[in-house]
Amino acid sequence: MMKQLATAFLVIFLTGCMTDTTGTTYSSGEARRIQQVSFGTISELQYVKIEGTEGAVGTIAGAAIGGIAGSTVGGGRGSDIAAVLGGVAGGVLGSMTEKELTGQQGIEMTIRLDSGSYISVVQEANSNAPLQMGDKVKILTQGNTTRVVRAY
């Protein structure tokens, strides 16, 4: 029961940390800034996996949960050892869980710009407005960030 509760907590906590990297989501720091705009047509699409993050959140949460769960095993010195081992195992599992939960379905787009040159952009696939081969798109670039959205 404790293990199931701990796993549920970790999943809820980590999914709250995920960010949206589709072409239609902006951070507050990106708002009200000039972007370079290009237009083109998608010539190739390939679905890819965008790796998740391996941050301290999953490791710390997993270690805490594993340590608490381990401390319930045995008594005395054995309980202390189980708590340490549970914490280490929980930290490793928490880190792996964070990476898996924050991974995203991505799409790699090869785009023929109206100028005739080609570019390739990878971003999170947007199930609400999926892009397809042949779509006219607008490419928005701001610093090192590029996003692709359907041109209307």
Side-chain angles (χ1 to χ4, degrees):
M1 173 69 171
M2 177 70 165
K3 189 174 183 180
Q4 293 165 334
L5 184 61
T7 302
F9 170 76
L10 185 60
V11 168
I12 291 167
F13 187 73
L14 290 176
T15 53
C17 298
M18 294 171 59
T19 59
D20 183 348
T21 56
T22 63
T24 57
T25 301
Y26 290 82
S27 71
S28 60
E30 292 173 312
R32 298 174 57 166
R33 297 194 184 255
I34 293 174
Q35 298 182 83
Q36 298 299 315
V37 180
S38 302
F39 290 91
T41 304
I42 297 177
S43 60
E44 291 180 22
L45 284 178
Q46 179 176 335
Y47 286 94
V48 297
K49 180 174 182 171
I50 299 173
E51 287 186 340
T53 59
E54 285 187 78
V57 173
T59 304
I60 292 169
I65 292 166
I68 291 167
S71 70
T72 63
V73 175
R77 188 148 174 80
S79 177
D80 293 344
I81 293 170
V84 170
L85 293 176
V88 171
V92 170
L93 289 173
S95 178
M96 290 171 34
T97 301
E98 178 180 8
K99 185 173 182 177
E100 188 62 33
L101 287 174
T102 58
Q104 302 159 342
Q105 176 69 55
I107 189 165
E108 176 187 321
M109 297 165 281
T110 301
I111 302 166
R112 184 174 192 273
L113 299 175
D114 288 352
S115 66
S117 61
Y118 285 85
I119 63 168
S120 177
V121 179
V122 174
Q123 69 186 27
E124 182 181 351
N126 186 347
S127 59
N128 295 328
L131 295 168
Q132 300 176 14
M133 281 181 44
D135 281 352
K136 285 286 291 172
V137 291
K138 180 168 50 172
I139 301 97
L140 305 163
T141 304
Q142 181 184 93
N144 291 327
T145 302
T146 299
R147 56 179 42 88
V148 177
V149 296
R150 186 172 283 110
Y152 292 102

